[in-house]
Amino acid sequence: MNGNVWRDGNVLRWLAAYGASLVGDGVYFLALGWAAAQTAGPAEVGLVMAVGAIPRALLMLGGGVVADRFGPRLVVISSDAVRCGVVLGLALVLALGSPGLWVLVLVALVFGIVDALFMPAVGALPPRIAGPGQLVRVQGLRSLAERVGHTAGPPVAGLAMGLGGPASAFAVASVLFGVSLVLLVAVRIAPLPAPAEACAPTSGESPWRQLRSGLGYIRRHGLIGPLVLSGALSQLGTSAPMTLGLILVSEERGWGPGGVGWIIGGMGLGAASSALVLTLIPRFPRAGAIQNLTLIIGSAGIGGLVLAPSLPVAVALAVLTGLVCGICGGLAVALIQTATDPSYLGRVSSVMAFTAVGLAPLAYPAFGFAADAWGVTPIFLAGAGVSMAGAIVGTSAPAVRRAELAFA
């Protein structure tokens, strides 16, 4: 493996495949909602989107078992191929006629199930394509790819739909998934070390037992367990304030939709800067302690947003918060993946993805009802407090405080 990760063709192929997949996701989801809106009313649009999101969340942990059982490379290539084929098929159906809502529901269901396999598998690949000393840089590059993917997806979808409607957008998404597939096939995956193979899941074990084994592994591990719990609390505490909460705060302060855009843009700028920091800084001594410190600062910054006296102050806080939270997340993932036995990488990756994709959105309705009852400011601060509790979990774990990362 190349010592300079940004010159390692294998890592760059994986990164380009991941980025193409993210842009494809953005195009697909926007086109799906638009196609549903053309076919039915708002309630049905919500149904179509939920049909895809619910199985993805429910099956995410099972996707980690599949990745560990059959290997992440096989799972990620197979799931990407299915996504490409399904979306291309939908593009052809829409181009040839006007299918009923049931077609969109079926595609959303299949896509959600396959996504539950794809996400843990792609998250388990970095330790198999880069050495331990390069994982922080890989996470920095991955964060950059996520920023580019999330930013580029909606404009690409809008351009495609402007030229040929949802059918055109689905065709573009299928091409992007196809590009991702070709690049993933070319990625070389290092074999599992012999000790890990000895404890790897066998075909005789039931999937349920493998899942329980993975959850038990996380719970017992002195470093991975606290970091996963810390991340889950942080996601649970901040996901609703940083989405629904920002809308309510901007409305209450008279900042309007533009204010929300400026604050979210500031967060994005800070997060992109953190990706550059993780990629370019040669090493992070006392990585565990830095991870805890950045989570404390980030949690305080999120709480400070609701107390900001003006929009410029809130935007400045958002930039700082995005920066420190990005460093916090990158270091946490690198520490977890470095410490994880390779035979458990898929299941550990699936738990992290579940806390980000499946668990955090459950806070939205609770946040809305609580903000309506007690006001947005105290509930926003309560969310920051839950995130701060995650920092307390990390700082109270000796293994996290002492954790170090190897650097090439």
Side-chain angles (χ1 to χ4, degrees), residues 60-371:
M60 190 76 69
L61 299 180
V65 173
V66 174
D68 285 335
R69 191 179 186 92
F70 298 103
R73 185 175 189 271
L74 175 62
V75 175
V76 78
I77 289 174
S78 301
S79 55
D80 221 12
V82 173
R83 295 197 306 172
C84 179
V86 167
V87 175
L88 178 59
L90 179 58
L92 293 173
V93 169
L94 288 174
L96 296 175
S98 300
L101 189 67
W102 68 270
V103 174
L104 299 179
V105 170
L106 179 61
V107 168
L109 178 63
V110 173
F111 196 94
I113 292 171
V114 175
D115 234 17
L117 299 174
F118 178 83
M119 293 181 68
V122 78
L125 286 179
R128 304 282 292 275
I129 61 176
Q134 297 293 343
L135 281 180
V136 170
R137 291 191 175 100
V138 170
Q139 293 305 324
L141 290 171
R142 179 180 179 177
S143 180
L144 277 176
E146 288 173 347
R147 293 295 156 189
V148 172
H150 294 320
T151 302
V156 171
L159 178 61
M161 286 191 290
L163 294 174
S168 177
F170 285 125
V172 170
S174 70
V175 170
L176 288 166
F177 292 139
V179 170
S180 174
L181 175 62
V182 171
L183 291 169
L184 286 171
V185 170
V187 173
R188 300 184 306 276
I189 305 296
L192 290 175
E197 288 176 345
C199 65
T202 65
S203 58
E205 279 189 304
S206 69
W208 176 246
R209 185 173 180 180
Q210 289 177 28
L211 176 58
R212 291 181 59 189
S213 173
L215 296 176
Y217 174 80
I218 293 171
R219 185 180 66 253
R220 294 189 299 270
H221 201 287
L223 175 64
I224 298 173
L227 282 177
V228 169
L229 178 57
S230 173
L233 288 171
S234 177
Q235 288 284 352
L236 194 61
T238 61
S239 59
M242 295 309 295
T243 50
L244 176 60
L246 285 180
I247 296 172
L248 297 176
V249 169
S250 293
E251 183 181 16
E252 185 178 273
R253 302 289 177 84
W255 296 341
V260 178
W262 276 105
I263 295 172
I264 293 177
M267 288 287 294
L269 176 62
S273 301
S274 75
L276 290 174
V277 169
L278 293 172
T279 305
L280 298 177
I281 288 184
R283 59 172 302 172
F284 280 85
R286 302 194 65 185
I290 293 176
Q291 192 273 334
N292 281 329
L293 178 60
T294 51
L295 181 53
I296 292 171
I297 297 172
S299 301
I302 289 172
L305 287 174
V306 77
L307 302 175
S310 65
L311 179 59
V313 173
V315 173
L317 274 173
V319 174
L320 173 63
T321 302
L323 173 64
V324 294
C325 287
I327 293 173
C328 169
L331 289 177
V333 174
L335 286 165
I336 289 171
Q337 292 190 331
T338 301
T340 300
D341 186 295
S343 63
Y344 287 97
L345 274 171
R347 282 165 285 181
V348 172
S349 177
S350 72
V351 171
M352 290 191 293
F354 175 75
T355 61
V357 177
L359 181 62
L362 297 178
Y364 293 164
F367 184 94
F369 284 120

Side-chain angles (χ1 to χ4, degrees), residues 46-63:
L47 171 65
V48 171
M49 304 307 287
V51 163
I54 292 173
R56 183 176 63 173
L58 293 178
L59 300 176
M60 190 76 69
L61 299 180

